[in-house]
Amino acid sequence: MSGKFITIEGTEGAGKSTNLSSIEKVLNDFDISYIVTREPGGTAVGEELRSVLLKNESINISGQTELLLMFASRMQHINDVIKPALKLNKWVICDRFTDASYAYQGYGRQLNLSFISSLENLVHPDLQPDLTLILDVPVNIAMGRVYNRGNLDRFEQEDVAFFNRVRAGYKEIAKNNIDRCREIDASKDLVEVQAEVMQIIRDFCKKQSNS
Ligand code: TMP
């Protein structure tokens, strides 16, 4: 069985971290060897870029710069972490990937989508996730969860209109990539959401072991 690449996406407050644990549980049950990583981040330089990108102090970062920093982090991450793991037949579970650049910089910041797709073709012409879970939550619920956590990062300080565009972006991505993406209603009870996530991962694992 070759390594598979699974990504998890959604607006802040959608419950990615909790559901990441559900994914890990299933992979452990199937005795699959995997790594868990994240973007921006996942390498030493990527984590440095992450702290610049998320820092909630008011430094001016334009939308284009933000996008290029996301892809700079991604380039290093793909070369140093994702591809080597997949080559060793490990599965890679990644907390956000290029869909987030489309959703946040493309739809949220309203940058040109074709500019993002040029960067995608430059940075990873030969790599796409095998499965993407998109956790969908109405913005008022998601932001309520985020505000409860306190200490907002640079993205979390954006307004409701921004997050509505990001959410609509993810919905568009899910609609245009039905073979790869599964949209999950993450406003439901957490136990129900976790059960749905685990079922999707179980089905995916079974499909891989049958192929
Ligand atoms: P999170 O991993 O804790 O959700 O924080 C990462 C933040 O970075 C989140 O607000 C989404 C944002 N982001 C982008 O805007 N574009 C990207 O390409 C990626 C990977 C993340």
Side-chain angles (χ1 to χ4, degrees), residues 5-10 39 67 71 74 94-108 113 116 120 124 127-134 165-174 176-177 180-182:
F5 183 25
I6 300 178
T7 56
I8 184 160
E9 300 276 358
E39 290 202 357
L67 178 69
F71 271 97
R74 185 161 299 134
C94 194
D95 183 344
R96 300 193 187 280
F97 192 61
T98 297
D99 291 322
S101 299
Y102 282 102
Y104 281 79
Q105 282 68 51
Y107 290 86
L113 296 181
I116 303 176
E120 179 179 20
H124 58 97
L127 178 74
Q128 281 299 332
D130 296 293
L131 174 68
T132 297
L133 304 185
I134 298 180
R165 290 196 297 275
V166 172
R167 183 184 182 212
Y170 274 128
K171 285 191 164 292
E172 196 65 23
I173 291 166
N176 294 336
N177 297 276
R180 171 172 69 85
C181 297
R182 302 278 179 282

